[in-house]
Amino acid sequence: MRKDSDMKNLILIVMLILTLGCQTKNDMKEQQRDIIENYIKSYNDFDIIGMTKNLSKDVVFENVSNGNVELRTEGIDEFKKQAESAKQYFTQRKQTIEFWEFNNSKVSVEIDYKATLAIDFPNGLKTGDTLELKGISEFEFESGKIKSITDKS
């Protein structure tokens, strides 16, 4: 009789652990989604404070184009400086998330990007032109903060 009771208790404990593990993973996913959505909204609104709200102090940012790292910042101060500088390039900009992929501490989002240029670009694009790109942004999390962002286009 005691063995049946012990077995039932063991099964209940295992089920509880599995349930809590799934809930924790879902909570983590939801937290990551909320943080990324806030980052994208803040980016679209030219809100540097909002963009940096959930970044770790040693955040690494990379912009990769055609497989080449075009820009890299290390640390939140460098990130803020670059973000402030980039504001002057556009009169408006909008990133739209098309697809999410969650893999524990890493989240990838497919992005549609559309912006109106505020200045002439060296590649021939002129003030008022519309820039449209598709890309992937990869976010890596640590302790509830974004520790790296890689934008690929």
Side-chain angles (χ1 to χ4, degrees):
M1 190 73 146
R2 177 167 165 111
K3 285 185 181 183
D4 285 343
S5 175
D6 289 346
M7 183 56 85
K8 285 180 184 176
N9 286 340
L10 180 61
I11 290 171
L12 285 172
I13 290 169
V14 169
M15 288 176 60
L16 180 63
I17 290 169
L18 290 174
T19 301
L20 289 174
C22 289
Q23 187 62 44
T24 301
K25 226 173 198 183
N26 286 337
D27 289 346
M28 182 175 77
K29 218 168 155 178
E30 197 58 40
Q31 180 188 26
Q32 290 169 335
R33 181 185 297 270
D34 289 347
I35 289 171
I36 291 170
E37 285 176 342
N38 176 75
Y39 174 85
I40 299 289
K41 181 185 181 321
S42 298
Y43 176 89
N44 291 343
D45 293 342
F46 297 89
D47 174 9
I48 307 305
I49 293 169
M51 287 173 64
T52 57
K53 177 174 130 179
N54 292 297
L55 300 184
S56 69
K57 67 178 189 281
D58 57 346
V59 65
V60 173
F61 172 80
E62 289 186 334
N63 183 285
V64 180
S65 181
N66 298 318
N68 298 315
V69 176
E70 302 289 330
L71 173 70
R72 179 181 170 91
T73 66
E74 294 183 28
I76 199 159
D77 291 335
E78 265 188 54
F79 181 92
K80 284 179 185 176
K81 187 176 174 182
Q82 173 56 35
E84 280 294 338
S85 168
K87 285 171 48 173
Q88 70 180 330
Y89 302 139
F90 309 102
T91 58
Q92 61 183 21
R93 59 189 185 185
K94 182 166 175 94
Q95 289 186 10
T96 304
I97 299 172
E98 297 296 324
F99 180 77
W100 296 82
E101 184 177 332
F102 293 88
N103 185 9
N104 296 317
S105 66
K106 296 181 180 180
V107 181
S108 295
V109 292
E110 288 181 18
I111 298 282
D112 274 343
Y113 182 80
K114 188 174 184 178
T116 304
L117 303 184
I119 61 171
D120 292 346
F121 277 42
N123 66 0
L125 292 172
K126 301 287 182 202
T127 302
D129 285 353
T130 299
L131 177 64
E132 293 186 62
L133 302 168
K134 289 194 178 290
I136 295 173
S137 291
E138 298 171 343
F139 297 85
E140 187 169 358
F141 288 82
E142 185 175 76
S143 302
K145 299 272 189 184
I146 298 171
K147 83 172 203 175
S148 71
I149 305 169
T150 304
D151 286 344
K152 298 179 178 179
S153 61

